[in-house]
Amino acid sequence: MENNTRIQPYMTESTYSQELSSQNDAMNQVYKDYILDYHFEKADIFVNQTTNQAIAMISYEVRTGKETDITTSYQQDLKRLIADNNSDIQSSQKKIEELHTLIDTKNKDNKKLQSIYDAISELH
């Protein structure tokens, strides 16, 4: 995805659209944070000597290693993220409880202050 601006000039519009669709494929999104092993298979290169343009059809194989290793690694990452989120939730809940306690204290203080204010007002 980050190379799209660099590869676009070397592709036809339809090939570039196919590449973008491939990048948005669910499987590619799942593994996009992992290093994939691209192995060159073959290339057919056609050169137009009159216009000095070339068309290259390149084939490669994507190897992800053992699928279970990547799946396990991804599950471990997800488990860590869930644990981090749960920790953040607990911390936030603690802060919310502290804020509720502070609000209750301030409300009680305001009632006392209002009573004193009202008592002083009655003296005049």
Side-chain angles (χ1 to χ4, degrees), residues 16-95:
Y16 183 68
S17 294
Q18 286 176 340
E19 175 61 23
L20 293 180
S21 294
S22 172
Q23 290 175 10
N24 291 325
D25 180 60
M27 277 305 270
N28 291 334
Q29 290 296 310
V30 167
Y31 295 120
K32 74 179 180 182
D33 291 333
Y34 293 92
I35 297 172
L36 298 176
D37 193 4
Y38 289 85
H39 284 268
F40 174 79
E41 288 181 342
K42 70 175 185 161
D44 295 321
I45 302 172
F46 305 95
V47 178
N48 182 332
Q49 294 178 350
T50 307
T51 62
N52 290 328
Q53 291 181 328
I55 297 175
M57 296 178 66
I58 301 169
S59 299
Y60 58 90
E61 176 186 3
V62 179
R63 298 181 188 167
T64 58
K66 294 181 181 177
E67 295 299 323
T68 54
D69 292 343
I70 289 176
T71 303
T72 301
S73 178
Y74 191 62
Q75 283 178 314
Q76 288 171 346
D77 285 345
L78 290 173
K79 189 175 184 178
R80 181 187 50 76
L81 288 171
I82 291 168
D84 289 348
N85 284 345
N86 284 335
S87 176
D88 289 345
I89 290 168
Q90 286 177 341
S91 175
S92 295
Q93 285 176 332
K94 205 177 257 190
K95 289 177 185 175

Side-chain angles (χ1 to χ4, degrees), residues 95-110:
K95 289 177 185 175
I96 289 170
E97 289 170 10
E98 289 171 2
L99 287 172
H100 280 293
T101 301
L102 178 64
I103 289 169
D104 290 343
T105 301
K106 292 295 181 181
N107 279 332
K108 288 176 185 175
D109 289 348
N110 274 349

